[in-house]
Amino acid sequence: MNKFIFVSVLLFSFAEVSAQIVKGKIIDASTSSPIENVKIFESDSEVFVFSDSEGVFEIEVNSNSFSLELSALGYLSAKYEGMPNSNSNLTISLIPSRENLSEVIVNGALISKSLQSMPAAISILTSGDIRKTDPSNFAQVFNSVPGVYVNQGALNTTKLNIRGIGARSQYSTNRIQAYFNGIPLTTGEGDLTIDDFDAEAISTIEIIKGPTSSMYGAGLGGVINMYAGNAEINKTQIGISLQVGSFDTNKKTISASHGTENTSLFTTFSDLESDGYRDNGSYKRQSGLISANVFTENGNKLSFLGNFTKLKAFIPSSINENDYLNDPEKAAFTWGSSKGFESYERGLLGISYLHHLSNSLTNLTSIFVNFRDAYEPRPFNILKEERVATGARTKFNLKTTIFKFASELSFGAEYYKEWYNMQTFENLYQDFEDRGSILGNSLSNNEQDRSYANFFAQLNLELSKKLNLETGFNVNTTSYSLEDLFIQDEIDQSGDYRFRTVFSPRIGLTYEIEKGKNIYSSVSHGFSTPTVEETLTPEGQINTDLKPETGINYEVGFKGNWLNHKLYTEVALYSIQIENLLVAQRISEDQYVGINAGKTNHNGIEATIRYKLDLNDKIRIQPYLNAALNYFEFEEFTNRDVDFSGNRLPGVPKSTLNTGFELNYGTNFSFYTNLLAVGEILLNDANSLNTENYQVVDIKARYDFKIFKNFESNVSAGINNVLDEKYASSVLPNAVGFGNSAPRYYYPGNPRNYFVGVGLNYVF
């Protein structure tokens, strides 16, 4: 009897040791938010459970070591191996998958939700979308977004406009806010340089189209959120790649990553050089990035981001119609004679911490600093710039119940401070033949301090299982001070200015017609402030009557999955009414004066179609179509006593069509085609000149294979502008000729060109 009791106790104790409980929490690798309905499968016992609404799970394992397989809709599957420990809980992060577009989580919104449930026109560009294009020309990927058009005069001369907003910009992107891992990229004056970043450094891009000031402050056109690459869980790898192409283009890249269940480290460095298609068009850029995340208990996350860019790029500038038609490789005469270029060093650093204060309350706080030191010899003068900016953003998210409705509240603040010094000097290139730009006497010396503060809040209410309400607002204050340090003239531009406080509300509704099919409507407000230069009169005094440009966006749309998630469609109809239109009047070759000149109407329709067709177990074809048709006009616009009311807005195409397909054979071979068709673009406010329609076809192929067990390799090749189309890749609206010269409206696009690449990756 005693032996029986002893054996029973022994067996019971062994069962207690063998059957143990593993507890944990599943979170999103990008946002650290909990993931519901994750399937957790224990390989040895074949037991599985699902995570609850807080991402929490408990599973029984039957051995001292265990292996968990995790899977969830919208996320990459992952495996976790470990040993039971009753004293701690696991925190496991999953990387979002971009396979089913509608399930993608929009991280850039104040309250993260799936793309399909957002009452806004939002486009997502994944690493797969970026891979389809030429890696040496990252900015072109934005042309695949309906409603977005890229004017690209050269690799370093890129202008984006969203729904026609920003189309009147002369040389740079403005009226669009942009962030990289939550760090502002747009300057205090609203200028944005998007082509500094390397394609291999980016995992995802989110473009929220239309006025977004309720979330981000001064962003009349929209906002671009870019996110750095991530390391895969339990994987360490290092890779190198080389690409060569036409115009003596070559690009060298090295990257490394290390991932565990609670850490992620990703770093990359690239060196890009090109002689360019046109004279005086050589380009050299070096760029490095490091992104690190550390996950602690309860899903808290500490993140660090660092990016550095060094660039020297010569500028061929725009040319007149005769040169565009007959000698497109030619640089503008004065830019070629002065060998004009721009060079700068630019960096940004940021740290953020996401803390779960409770199961229903989280806080995300970020601090950052960025800088830019630039030198730009131009025919009319030489510009030296120094810019340093710092700031912080904090956001609280609270899940609660209001009037018995499930709801989530987000609120917080953002502060941005920028110190900017600008000096100009004479360019004596005409006195020294064939030597290029020569620094002369000082012409101006200004210091500017710019700052803004945003206070924002958003409330999401689940009015029913099918109907959701989203409403919010932003309050912005913007100010600057200008100190004129140049004492050789009698003009003193010093002064302080504060724009009036701007209140930007937003409201949106989403209704689920049936599973996977949603309609939405929204009304949102946006604004953009004038630059310091635009506020100065020709006499150098500050124009205190100048007002921010404001607009209201009315929008309805549909987002839907069909054929068991094989077909995804989006349609958006919008109307944006802009008041106090800011017009930069050119009064000399290098000086502009801003005026509030009237109103514009931006009306349009955008559509997206994506389809996945599996021909057999190995062959998949994914055709796509992105299209935009618009009618942008001046409602009221009088400039220099000329009435342009009723005319169409210059600088933006009437229509764009981006279509093609991706062909995959197994997991090794991919073939990409893309057609970009662009309608005519008006060149001036009078609508008397326009470009011709054009179509550009690009193709690319890539083959991935293993050399040895831990060595992975790939080869790729592509042709840009297969049909050798002659077109203007960028235009300068309302160009003015000086010294009896013809206006220089055109930047010629590249002719047919080629590239090939090879990559090697070692997995530890």
Side-chain angles (χ1 to χ4, degrees):
M1 184 65 181
N2 291 335
K3 290 182 179 181
F4 176 77
I5 294 173
F6 174 77
V7 170
S8 299
V9 171
L10 185 64
L11 290 174
F12 179 78
S13 300
F14 179 76
E16 283 292 303
V17 172
S18 299
Q20 299 191 53
I21 301 298
V22 173
K23 300 179 181 180
K25 184 174 185 176
I26 314 297
I27 62 173
D28 186 298
S30 300
T31 66
S32 292
S33 56
I35 308 174
E36 188 178 4
N37 290 327
V38 179
K39 182 180 179 180
I40 301 99
F41 177 76
E42 210 285 311
S43 306
D44 295 333
S45 63
E46 297 188 352
V47 173
F48 66 88
V49 296
F50 290 90
S51 60
D52 62 18
S53 60
E54 297 300 323
V56 174
F57 71 91
E58 293 184 4
I59 188 169
E60 184 178 282
V61 297
N62 293 323
S63 60
N64 291 327
S65 63
F66 61 89
S67 177
L68 302 180
E69 297 177 5
L70 302 99
S71 59
L73 186 63
Y75 292 87
L76 296 177
S77 298
K79 180 177 287 189
Y80 180 89
E81 296 179 347
M83 299 181 64
N85 186 345
S86 59
N87 296 324
S88 63
N89 290 332
L90 302 176
T91 299
I92 304 174
S93 59
L94 296 184
I95 297 175
S97 167
R98 309 302 173 184
E99 186 70 17
N100 292 319
L101 185 62
S102 62
E103 300 295 337
V104 172
I105 303 299
V106 180
N107 297 318
L110 294 181
I111 299 175
S112 298
K113 296 172 64 177
S114 69
L115 172 66
Q116 191 163 344
S117 60
M118 294 286 293
I122 302 173
S123 291
I124 308 291
L125 294 172
T126 68
S127 57
D129 295 318
I130 298 172
R131 180 182 288 189
K132 296 175 184 177
T133 61
D134 181 351
S136 65
N137 193 354
F138 161 65
Q140 282 298 323
V141 73
F142 289 94
N143 264 330
S144 64
V145 177
V148 178
Y149 181 67
V150 179
N151 282 275
Q152 188 172 48
L155 289 176
N156 61 311
T157 309
T158 302
K159 298 186 301 179
L160 275 70
N161 69 73
I162 299 179
R163 293 180 171 178
I165 299 172
R168 295 177 61 85
S169 171
Q170 297 295 303
Y171 304 107
S172 62
T173 300
N174 62 25
R175 291 163 176 74
I176 296 173
Q177 283 289 340
Y179 292 81
F180 197 102
N181 276 24
I183 300 175
L185 300 178
T186 305
T187 70
E189 286 204 306
D191 283 337
L192 169 64
T193 303
I194 204 72
D195 40 57
D196 273 350
F197 297 92
D198 189 67
E200 278 87 353
I202 298 169
S203 65
T204 310
I205 305 170
E206 300 173 357
I207 302 102
I208 306 176
K209 292 173 283 187
T212 55
S213 294
S214 66
M215 293 183 281
Y216 292 100
L220 186 58
V223 66
I224 298 172
N225 283 295
M226 300 195 298
Y227 298 93
N230 288 308
E232 296 184 42
I233 298 175
N234 296 326
K235 192 173 184 179
T236 301
Q237 54 188 332
I238 183 171
I240 57 174
S241 65
L242 171 66
Q243 178 178 309
V244 296
S246 301
F247 320 125
D248 289 327
T249 301
N250 70 85
K251 180 183 178 184
K252 301 171 283 291
T253 304
I254 182 170
S255 60
S257 65
H258 172 69
T260 68
E261 65 274 7
N262 54 17
T263 60
S264 172
L265 176 65
F266 174 83
T267 183
T268 182
F269 174 81
S270 69
D271 187 343
L272 173 62
E273 294 183 71
S274 177
D275 286 345
Y277 164 57
R278 299 176 60 198
D279 297 337
N280 202 58
S282 64
Y283 178 94
K284 181 175 177 60
R285 186 197 71 203
Q286 295 175 313
S287 180
L289 176 139
I290 181 170
S291 175
N293 299 290
V294 178
F295 300 94
T296 61
E297 292 186 5
N298 300 319
N300 300 332
K301 182 175 73 169
L302 177 67
S303 301
F304 170 81
L305 176 75
N307 180 264
F308 180 80
T309 299
K310 182 178 182 180
L311 177 134
K312 183 176 182 179
F314 286 81
I315 302 173
S317 195
S318 56
I319 54 179
N320 61 42
E321 184 176 18
N322 180 65
D323 290 336
Y324 166 67
L325 295 175
N326 300 301
D327 194 7
E329 296 182 40
K330 180 180 180 179
F333 176 77
T334 54
W335 284 89
S337 300
S338 64
K339 299 179 182 179
F341 66 89
E342 67 169 335
S343 65
Y344 57 78
E345 295 180 351
R346 171 177 173 172
L348 60 87
L349 298 169
I351 298 175
S352 64
Y353 184 65
L354 176 67
H355 183 60
H356 289 76
L357 300 170
S358 69
N359 289 334
S360 58
L361 179 63
T362 61
N363 172 254
L364 175 63
T365 297
S366 304
I367 57 174
F368 66 88
V369 60
N370 61 51
F371 67 88
R372 184 176 185 268
D373 188 357
Y375 181 77
E376 183 177 349
R378 308 175 295 186
F380 38 84
N381 62 33
I382 294 177
L383 172 67
K384 293 182 68 175
E385 294 179 297
E386 292 181 356
R387 178 185 291 116
V388 177
T390 186
R393 182 180 176 94
T394 187
K395 181 186 71 165
F396 292 87
N397 280 59
L398 174 66
K399 291 183 178 180
T400 184
T401 301
I402 298 178
F403 303 121
K404 299 183 180 180
F405 296 121
S407 62
E408 185 167 357
L409 175 66
S410 178
F411 58 93
E414 176 184 24
Y415 180 75
Y416 180 96
K417 178 73 173 180
E418 181 178 82
W419 297 269
Y420 175 71
N421 176 257
M422 178 187 72
Q423 300 179 64
T424 60
F425 301 84
E426 291 179 329
N427 191 337
L428 305 180
Y429 74 95
Q430 292 176 317
D431 299 336
F432 299 87
E433 188 175 356
D434 295 328
R435 288 186 56 184
S437 296
I438 303 294
L439 189 71
N441 294 325
S442 176
L443 297 175
S444 67
N445 186 1
N446 293 323
E447 286 188 357
Q448 303 170 14
D449 291 348
R450 310 161 179 164
S451 64
Y452 66 74
N454 292 318
F455 304 92
F456 53 84
Q458 180 175 312
L459 175 65
N460 286 10
L461 281 176
E462 188 177 307
L463 301 178
S464 70
K465 290 184 178 180
K466 293 182 176 292
L467 181 63
N468 286 270
L469 170 69
E470 182 179 297
T471 184
F473 67 88
N474 180 289
V475 177
N476 174 274
T477 61
T478 299
S479 62
Y480 71 82
S481 64
L482 175 64
E483 184 177 359
D484 189 344
L485 303 177
F486 188 69
I487 61 175
Q488 280 90 339
D489 60 21
E490 297 179 355
I491 299 176
D492 185 4
Q493 297 178 335
S494 301
D496 298 320
Y497 187 71
R498 178 181 296 273
F499 294 102
R500 62 180 177 85
T501 300
V502 180
F503 176 75
S504 297
R506 180 176 182 271
I507 187 169
L509 284 169
T510 303
Y511 181 75
E512 186 180 54
I513 304 171
E514 58 180 83
K515 185 66 175 178
K517 297 176 180 61
N518 291 46
I519 58 173
Y520 73 88
S521 63
S522 66
V523 180
S524 58
H525 178 272
F527 72 97
S528 289
T529 55
T531 66
V532 174
E533 284 73 17
E534 287 175 335
T535 61
L536 297 178
T537 66
E539 295 75 29
Q541 303 304 311
I542 294 178
N543 179 9
T544 57
D545 295 328
L546 206 59
K547 301 176 182 178
E549 192 172 280
T550 60
I552 299 179
N553 179 60
Y554 304 90
E555 185 171 331
V556 295
F558 170 82
K559 303 175 185 180
N561 285 300
W562 312 81
L563 306 177
N564 195 27
H565 287 268
K566 292 183 178 181
L567 175 65
Y568 179 74
T569 60
E570 282 188 16
V571 178
L573 291 88
Y574 65 88
S575 179
I576 307 174
Q577 277 77 52
I578 294 178
E579 296 185 348
N580 299 318
L581 177 69
L582 284 169
V583 176
Q585 289 185 337
R586 192 168 189 167
I587 59 176
S588 67
E589 194 171 2
D590 66 331
Q591 186 178 3
Y592 297 85
V593 174
I595 61 170
N596 293 120
K599 303 177 181 179
T600 56
N601 286 333
H602 297 242
N603 304 311
I605 181 171
E606 300 162 356
T608 292
I609 301 174
R610 294 195 179 191
Y611 184 63
K612 294 183 295 185
L613 175 62
D614 296 318
L615 297 180
N616 54 41
D617 292 341
K618 290 189 175 182
I619 301 177
R620 169 183 286 186
I621 298 178
Q622 301 180 72
Y624 60 89
L625 182 147
N626 301 295
L629 180 64
N630 58 64
Y631 188 81
F632 304 152
E633 66 171 354
F634 296 111
E635 180 182 347
E636 298 177 9
F637 181 33
T638 300
N639 191 10
R640 291 174 174 159
D641 298 325
V642 179
D643 188 358
F644 297 108
S645 301
N647 287 4
R648 293 182 64 121
L649 193 69
V652 61
K654 291 183 178 179
S655 62
T656 57
L657 173 68
N658 178 270
T659 186
F661 66 85
E662 175 182 343
L663 171 66
N664 301 111
Y665 183 81
T667 58
N668 301 99
F669 179 76
S670 299
F671 181 74
Y672 312 102
T673 69
N674 185 79
L675 164 67
L676 175 64
V678 178
E680 71 172 29
I681 301 175
L682 296 168
L683 297 176
N684 54 28
D685 295 336
N687 294 178
S688 60
L689 294 172
N690 61 269
T691 64
E692 299 294 329
N693 301 344
Y694 70 85
Q695 300 82 36
V696 175
V697 176
D698 301 329
I699 61 173
K700 180 182 177 181
R702 175 180 168 121
Y703 183 67
D704 293 83
F705 58 96
K706 279 193 174 183
I707 302 177
F708 304 110
K709 180 180 179 181
N710 293 328
F711 279 94
E712 301 171 348
S713 185
N714 68 80
V715 293
S716 60
I719 307 175
N720 299 317
N721 195 3
V722 174
L723 303 179
D724 202 20
E725 180 86 349
K726 189 170 186 176
Y727 68 102
S729 59
S730 183
V731 297
L732 187 64
N734 297 303
V736 177
F738 291 92
N740 297 320
S741 62
R744 297 187 286 112
Y745 287 104
Y746 304 93
Y747 290 86
N750 290 341
R752 183 189 299 119
N753 58 94
Y754 311 85
F755 62 91
V756 294
V758 60
L760 181 66
N761 196 46
Y762 179 69
V763 181
F764 293 87

